[in-house]
Amino acid sequence: MSGAAAVVAVDNNRRADLLRVAARLFRERGFDGTTIRDIADAVGMRSGSPFYHFKSKQEILAAVMEEGLVAGLPTAEAIVAGGLAPREKFRALVRAHLETVLAEGHDFIPVLLYDWRCLTPLLRQRVLVLRDRYDQLWQDLVTELYRAGELASDGKVARLLLMGAINYSVLWYREGQGSDLDQIAQEAVAMFLRRAA
Amino acid sequence: MSGAAAVVAVDNNRRADLLRVAARLFRERGFDGTTIRDIADAVGMRSGSPFYHFKSKQEILAAVMEEGLVAGLPTAEAIVAGGLAPREKFRALVRAHLETVLAEGHDFIPVLLYDWRCLTPLLRQRVLVLRDRYDQLWQDLVTELYRAGELASDGKVARLLLMGAINYSVLWYREGQGSDLDQIAQEAVAMFLRRAA
DNA sequence: CCTACCGATCGGTAGG
DNA sequence: CCTACCGATCGGTAGG
């Protein structure tokens, strides 16, 4: 292994460390409630050092959001493009999404959902490129469900109501208390889909 | 009118001004993204003066939330206790709730929803007394809908999924763009309720 | 990535 | 409710 490759690997690890820790802190305390010093402390750096990896605190926020989208998109795309029946496809997407927003260490998308307003318009536009792809996946599935007679509505509001029901879980779900992810997905399917005649 | 009564009225007005402005700013920028100076400026006070009306910034946050709950509870209670059929009761509660979180100047409950984590545990406990009453109303209606065959699920998760679908609108609804409140309420009824056989 | 630091801003207070 | 202020903290930077 070359020395240069080792250095790059270390750099990537430190950057990844910062993103993971920042995601957790942003989720717990919010973007404005988290300081650069909190983040630096949590990875064992001095307070000025995160700026060696990121130009600004805002850039960390945008990178956290993009990291979450890049990690979540392939799974979601595979489910929607797959050959499952609409009902099973919905269950799988809901289940995968719950994992994305509720599982231990999965703090990236919750930050996107609830600190979106903290992004400057320019960075918002950048993250939107990926976010739009994620939303489009859901929109496509909503249409498929509607055509299959499984959903009462088509359109954007239908998608937003569904995603809201799922995303809101970030504010109430606590691991080990009450329903687990499978049960919540099951219940969403039962509540929102009608059995196709 | 006595002088004392006039002074009290003025005091109440200034306090109410602070709450209304704080609610709007907290909603737009978040609790941690809003400064006491922002709030004071917006009502034409100096930066130290809000502390004549409230002990701390946290107390303003708690008061904003309680104000929203006190304003919203009577309407919601009347709907749930009223004699409408379950389906119409649901439509009316959803419609009223949309008004509570989306109408111009109705910034109090959105702050409760999305800055809950900014409250200290002690104040959280205080606000929870009123919040629990609001949640219980929804829970009662969920049970009524389930028994009437209008809803596929009963229980807490069912309630949270429904409230999530509605509450999430705070993050996407823009007045004058897309569906209006009546249309959104209509669509929620169509999507979540099954026509009782 | 650390040291050492800066200018700006923050929540809150004493005294009137 | 204003004046005048405080100690603490903030995001960010220069130089190494």
Side-chain angles (χ1 to χ4, degrees):
Chain A
M1 187 185 294
S2 80
V7 166
V8 167
V10 167
D11 281 1
N12 282 341
N13 282 343
R14 293 310 272 161
R15 195 190 133 100
D17 288 344
L18 283 167
L19 281 185
R20 202 185 55 250
V21 159
R24 178 172 55 81
L25 292 172
F26 289 164
R27 181 192 196 156
E28 286 172 9
R29 315 177 188 177
F31 176 74
D32 287 317
T34 304
T35 70
I36 289 291
R37 283 160 178 83
D38 294 334
I39 298 168
D41 282 352
V43 298
M45 286 180 183
R46 299 306 188 122
S47 69
S49 301
F51 296 105
Y52 170 75
H53 296 276
F54 298 94
K55 276 196 313 194
S56 68
K57 193 186 170 193
Q58 283 275 341
E59 285 280 349
I60 300 180
L61 179 60
V64 162
M65 294 179 179
E66 289 177 326
E67 174 88 1
L69 289 165
V70 166
L73 268 167
T75 306
E77 272 168 349
I79 290 169
V80 174
L84 291 173
R87 191 179 187 84
E88 295 311 315
K89 209 180 267 194
F90 180 70
R91 190 205 312 276
L93 189 62
V94 168
R95 177 54 228 254
H97 191 66
L98 287 172
E99 189 85 20
T100 294
V101 297
L102 299 180
E104 176 105 23
H106 291 199
D107 304 308
F108 299 88
I109 298 294
V111 170
L112 179 147
L113 292 172
Y114 295 107
D115 275 330
W116 185 253
R117 68 180 164 196
C118 295
L119 268 188
T120 58
L122 207 69
L123 286 173
R124 226 193 298 246
Q125 215 173 358
R126 199 183 87 192
V127 179
L128 209 48
V129 175
L130 286 170
R131 182 173 186 168
D132 281 344
R133 283 178 54 195
Y134 203 91
D135 289 342
Q136 190 57 51
L137 285 178
W138 278 82
Q139 196 68 67
D140 291 344
L141 182 55
V142 163
T143 297
E144 187 178 338
L145 289 164
Y146 177 72
R147 288 187 181 151
E150 288 271 20
L151 203 64
S153 298
D154 195 3
K156 194 171 166 185
V157 171
R159 187 198 99 228
L160 289 163
L161 289 172
L162 284 182
M163 294 189 80
I166 309 300
N167 285 335
Y168 194 63
S169 65
V170 168
L171 299 180
W172 53 263
Y173 175 79
R174 294 291 167 264
E175 201 187 333
Q177 294 177 30
S179 306
D180 63 27
L181 304 195
D182 283 321
Q183 290 169 324
I184 296 169
Q186 183 80 18
E187 189 141 349
V189 170
M191 280 189 72
F192 302 145
L193 300 189
R194 18 199 89 198
R195 303 206 170 269
Chain B
M1 188 184 295
S2 81
V7 167
V8 167
V10 167
D11 280 1
N12 283 340
N13 282 342
R14 293 310 270 161
R15 195 190 133 98
D17 288 344
L18 283 167
L19 280 186
R20 202 185 55 249
V21 159
R24 178 171 56 78
L25 292 172
F26 289 164
R27 180 191 196 157
E28 285 171 8
R29 316 176 189 178
F31 177 74
D32 287 318
T34 303
T35 70
I36 288 292
R37 283 161 178 83
D38 294 334
I39 297 168
D41 283 351
V43 298
M45 285 181 184
R46 299 308 187 117
S47 70
S49 301
F51 296 104
Y52 170 76
H53 296 275
F54 297 94
K55 276 197 312 196
S56 66
K57 193 186 170 192
Q58 283 276 342
E59 285 282 348
I60 300 179
L61 179 61
V64 162
M65 294 178 179
E66 288 176 327
E67 175 87 2
L69 288 164
V70 167
L73 267 168
T75 306
E77 271 167 351
I79 290 169
V80 174
L84 292 174
R87 192 179 186 85
E88 295 312 314
K89 208 180 268 193
F90 180 69
R91 190 204 313 277
L93 189 62
V94 168
R95 178 54 228 254
H97 191 66
L98 287 172
E99 189 86 20
T100 293
V101 296
L102 299 180
E104 176 105 24
H106 291 200
D107 303 309
F108 300 87
I109 299 294
V111 170
L112 178 147
L113 292 173
Y114 296 106
D115 275 330
W116 186 253
R117 68 179 165 196
C118 296
L119 268 189
T120 57
L122 207 70
L123 285 173
R124 225 192 301 244
Q125 216 174 357
R126 198 183 87 192
V127 179
L128 209 49
V129 175
L130 286 170
R131 182 173 188 169
D132 281 343
R133 283 178 54 194
Y134 203 91
D135 289 343
Q136 190 57 50
L137 286 177
W138 278 82
Q139 195 69 65
D140 291 344
L141 183 53
V142 163
T143 297
E144 187 177 338
L145 289 165
Y146 176 73
R147 288 188 180 151
E150 290 271 19
L151 203 63
S153 298
D154 194 3
K156 194 170 166 185
V157 171
R159 188 198 97 227
L160 289 164
L161 289 172
L162 283 182
M163 293 189 81
I166 308 301
N167 285 336
Y168 194 63
S169 65
V170 168
L171 299 181
W172 54 262
Y173 175 80
R174 295 291 167 261
E175 201 186 333
Q177 293 177 30
S179 306
D180 64 27
L181 304 195
D182 283 320
Q183 290 170 324
I184 297 170
Q186 184 78 18
E187 188 141 350
V189 170
M191 279 189 72
F192 302 143
L193 300 190
R194 17 200 88 197
R195 301 204 173 273

